[in-house]
Amino acid sequence: MADPVPSGGGRGPVSGAIYDLGYRPYDGPRNGLGAIAWALFVEGFRNAFGLGRSGRSKVLPFLLLGINLLPVVIIVGVLVFIHLDELPLGYAAYASRTQVLLSIFVAAQAPVLFSRDLRHGTIALYLARPLPSTAYAVARWASLLAATLVFLLTPILALYLGAVLGELDFGEQTAAALKAALLAVLLATGLTGISGLIASVSVRRGFAVVATIAVLLLGNGVVTAVQGISEEQSRPRIGEVAGLFSPYSLYRGAMGALTDERVLTPPTGGGLQAAYFGVMVALALVSLGALLVRYRRLAGR
Amino acid sequence: MEPVISTRGLTKDYGSVVALADLTLDIGPGITGLVGANGAGKSTLIKILLGLVMPTSGSSQVLGLDVATESAEIRGRVGYLPEHDCLPPDVSASDFVVHLGMMSGLPRVAARERAAEVLRHVGLAEERYRPMGGYSTGMKQRAKLAQALAHDPRLVLLDEPTNGLDPAARDDMLGLVQRVGDDFGISVLVTSHLLGELERVSDHVVILDSGRLLRSSETREFLNATGTLLVEVLGQDAQARMGQALAAAGVPVHPRGGLLALDPDPDSPHDVHDLIRDTALDLGVGLVRIQADHRRIEDVFADG
């Protein structure tokens, strides 16, 4: 610390010449909790795509984003050149078809937002700052939710633009795209909560990734098998109830109730259809609540 | 002067251990060393002051704000350097300090300026643009100090800032701590389990032992001269001959390691320094040094 120039006079007005490199106190404005939480949200959102981090960490999210958009490009191309009168793949069905990509994305990026601070001890620096632990958790959750929504909504928007440019019926397309967007929000909140919770209890990134993919895809696999068998055996009620137990089958069920897409054992009857939406909302709220409890505990340690 | 930190009957009982026992303490502005063995309650005290750990009983104030009700305000005006690792390896110190400055409430532009400023002060130059995973321990500690200073706090709580540093880096860090307190005008509470290193930089020393206050006083009170003189001589059998001659001249003397410790009568009309010089000249031994024997902070423990 060989500072060649003598330091200034501390907190008072710095006396001395222009070359005096002494410490200058900060007298400017300071933000409140809302602005701090917003800054944390924006930084987390950028980090989820590897922005503001090393070059290597940008590869996976953008690769997945690119692959996820590839079918859209093909569909829109076909639509424009062959002049189809409807989209070969519906807006809402798109997320269902690309669920493996989506699962890898949330499984890989949730640890960026939730495990990293725990693993490297950075959480202590956040907790020693004005934001309460619960606000920290909500900001992190919101960052992951926003990143997941970018992943889910970009193809819908691209398909919609393609459909409008391809001169399909405007009102019909708008209604279908909006329904798909609503379903995407419901799906994203659930995925965010589940993957965030797993990442926040697992300090090791690899474990969080594997566990999240297992919960999302294996859970869906089991439910899909049950639904397939129950339809085969003409006892669809079993499959309809089984669909309540995995985020992707919930999404398919809700899609079946809301749109004309054909899915396995769509929920029939107003009660069960409402249950699908209710469970999706409850899943989002419960997982967010569990995250808050988790961070409150961390803060009080 | 109004205390920067004050605690009243502060107790933290973890069930199996009592980390703090009825601690009543006032810490003023300037640099205060908080000394104690591992597990003496230093980190627990810091976490209570930050509002991160709830005390079992008792109250505390930081910068005149009550910890129980105004901890968010306190955390906005206090900087914290934790004992353990807290740096993500894939982020540069520059980006990291900007981000944490914003987390302390600075607007983005101000956070950039402050980050550049504090990183320069802690001595991270070009390396601040490199990911912190490649830093040496000394550079990591500097980055940790920089984030604690990013928002121009009124007080910094430094938990073992010299932990894991080699002697040269340790000296640099202690020099930085001294600059933060003396030149930057920021009050400092710095902990260490090494008593010796804090006596150099702190104005005030607080000693904790098993969660209890052992002693709190100004550093110079610990270090005041004891009246004993230490003499080192060089030559054939010099120490023994010198000791005998001084004893014969009526000065109580006993060997201490390679030195002679003299306890001259403070009321004696003759200057003992002259006697030492003359005796050494008569015996033909080389007089290497005469120094006043200062107490060390360690002696507080020896005193019980």
Side-chain angles (χ1 to χ4, degrees):
Chain A
M1 264 325 296
D3 202 331
V5 186
S7 313
R11 205 157 269 279
V14 178
S15 60
I18 197 159
Y19 54 79
D20 188 348
L21 293 175
Y23 182 79
R24 282 174 307 165
Y26 175 74
D27 301 320
R30 288 173 194 262
N31 288 329
L33 293 179
I36 296 174
W38 174 255
L40 180 62
F41 162 74
V42 171
E43 184 71 14
F45 177 70
R46 282 164 43 81
N47 286 349
F49 291 100
L51 302 172
R53 295 169 56 219
S54 65
R56 229 178 41 178
S57 46
K58 296 176 183 64
V59 175
L60 184 68
F62 280 101
L63 190 69
L64 289 172
L65 212 53
I67 299 174
N68 192 39
L69 280 174
L70 207 57
V72 178
V73 175
I74 296 167
I75 290 170
V76 171
V78 168
L79 184 78
V80 171
F81 283 108
I82 314 182
H83 299 294
L84 296 176
D85 53 1
E86 64 170 357
L87 284 171
L89 180 60
Y91 299 108
Y94 197 89
S96 208
R97 294 289 164 81
T98 55
Q99 66 187 20
V100 173
L101 290 174
L102 179 61
S103 303
I104 296 173
F105 181 81
V106 293
Q109 301 316 113
V112 171
L113 294 166
F114 289 97
S115 308
R116 230 158 57 100
D117 292 338
L118 298 179
R119 175 164 182 187
H120 302 303
T122 320
I123 184 78
L125 302 181
Y126 285 108
L127 295 178
R129 286 179 157 72
L131 218 54
S133 61
T134 44
Y136 167 88
V138 170
R140 284 303 200 205
W141 177 85
S143 295
L144 184 59
L145 178 64
T148 310
L149 282 175
V150 165
F151 201 88
L152 276 167
L153 295 180
T154 312
I156 294 177
L157 184 66
L159 276 178
Y160 176 68
L161 290 178
V164 172
L165 287 176
E167 293 174 349
L168 298 188
D169 183 85
F170 183 78
E172 217 171 77
Q173 295 301 319
T174 307
L178 285 178
K179 278 182 191 169
L182 171 70
L183 287 167
V185 171
L186 283 172
L187 177 63
T189 50
L191 294 183
T192 300
I194 290 171
S195 59
L197 196 57
I198 292 173
S200 75
V201 294
S202 140
V203 178
R204 300 184 68 93
R205 178 172 184 212
F207 176 81
V209 173
V210 171
T212 307
I213 290 180
V215 167
L216 294 182
L217 291 184
L218 289 186
N220 178 55
V222 171
V223 170
T224 308
V226 171
Q227 289 181 327
I229 294 166
S230 75
E231 191 169 72
E232 199 89 335
Q233 303 291 319
S234 304
R235 297 178 66 184
R237 205 67 181 173
I238 296 172
E240 288 169 36
V241 173
L244 293 168
F245 290 92
S246 136
Y248 289 125
S249 59
L250 278 167
Y251 178 81
R252 282 196 307 273
M255 178 168 71
L258 207 60
T259 69
D260 311 329
E261 294 288 344
R262 280 197 53 247
V263 296
L264 275 174
T265 61
T268 50
L272 199 60
Q273 288 186 349
Y276 266 69
F277 288 97
V279 169
M280 286 180 99
V281 172
L283 178 66
L285 293 179
V286 168
S287 55
L288 175 60
L291 260 181
L292 297 187
V293 171
R294 163 80 178 136
Y295 279 90
R296 197 175 270 263
R297 288 233 176 103
L298 275 174
R301 198 166 53 181
Chain B
M1 215 178 300
E2 191 181 317
V4 172
I5 296 169
S6 71
T7 70
R8 293 288 172 268
L10 204 59
T11 300
K12 179 62 188 179
D13 188 347
Y14 279 111
S16 51
V17 244
V18 178
L20 288 178
D22 195 27
L23 187 70
T24 295
L25 189 63
D26 283 313
I27 293 175
I31 306 176
T32 302
L34 178 62
V35 185
N38 291 332
K42 295 171 303 209
S43 296
T44 303
L45 175 60
I46 285 183
K47 284 179 183 160
I48 289 177
L49 295 177
L50 285 168
L52 300 179
V53 168
M54 291 296 131
T56 312
S57 62
S59 63
S60 47
Q61 286 197 326
V62 175
L63 302 169
L65 299 163
D66 189 79
V67 169
T69 56
E70 297 166 295
S71 71
E73 287 86 347
I74 291 173
R75 289 196 295 264
R77 299 180 201 183
V78 171
Y80 171 50
L81 180 151
E83 182 181 2
H84 52 73
D85 289 340
C86 57
L87 306 177
D90 59 347
V91 179
S92 72
S94 181
D95 289 347
F96 189 63
V97 176
V98 171
H99 174 60
L100 285 169
M102 291 171 71
M103 288 302 99
S104 289
L106 297 187
R108 181 177 287 278
V109 176
R112 287 234 170 91
E113 285 170 11
R114 287 287 309 170
E117 164 123 2
V118 295
L119 284 165
R120 179 171 59 75
H121 279 297
V122 302
L124 285 176
E126 285 309 304
E127 56 268 30
R128 67 168 178 260
Y129 300 113
R130 292 211 319 262
M132 294 187 286
Y135 284 11
S136 69
T137 312
M139 285 157 69
K140 283 182 180 165
Q141 291 300 92
R142 284 161 192 253
K144 280 163 71 174
L145 181 60
Q147 65 78 26
L149 296 171
H151 53 298
D152 186 30
R154 306 287 302 132
L155 165 73
V156 282
L157 306 173
L158 310 179
D159 203 353
E160 306 261 358
T162 58
N163 210 2
L165 299 181
D166 63 43
R170 182 177 293 259
D171 273 355
D172 286 350
M173 178 51 74
L174 289 172
L176 271 174
V177 170
Q178 196 157 26
R179 279 188 61 201
V180 170
D182 295 345
D183 298 345
F184 299 4
I186 297 170
S187 292
V188 179
L189 180 69
V190 51
T191 78
S192 178
H193 56 274
L194 296 171
L195 304 164
E197 63 181 30
L198 290 184
E199 63 186 35
R200 207 188 95 195
V201 297
S202 51
D203 311 318
H204 203 97
V205 171
V206 173
I207 300 181
L208 287 185
D209 185 32
S210 307
R212 281 166 213 286
L213 180 65
L214 197 62
R215 185 157 172 185
S216 166
S217 47
E218 294 193 20
T219 310
R220 64 169 179 271
E221 283 178 34
F222 284 99
L223 305 176
N224 49 15
T226 53
T228 303
L229 284 179
L230 297 176
V231 176
E232 185 179 351
V233 286
L234 197 69
Q236 181 79 39
D237 202 18
Q239 193 180 348
R241 282 159 57 212
M242 185 80 181
Q244 282 163 7
L246 287 170
V251 180
V253 57
H254 57 271
R256 187 194 290 175
L259 303 172
L260 289 167
L262 281 64
D263 293 306
D265 178 4
D267 303 326
S268 164
H270 305 292
D271 190 342
V272 70
H273 290 85
D274 290 345
L275 177 68
I276 294 167
R277 181 196 63 205
D278 297 341
T279 312
L281 197 63
D282 292 345
L283 295 175
V285 300
L287 186 56
V288 179
R289 61 175 158 151
I290 303 174
Q291 71 178 61
D293 181 23
H294 287 282
R295 290 161 56 89
R296 296 173 61 80
I297 296 179
E298 278 92 337
D299 299 336
V300 177
F301 284 92
D303 295 349

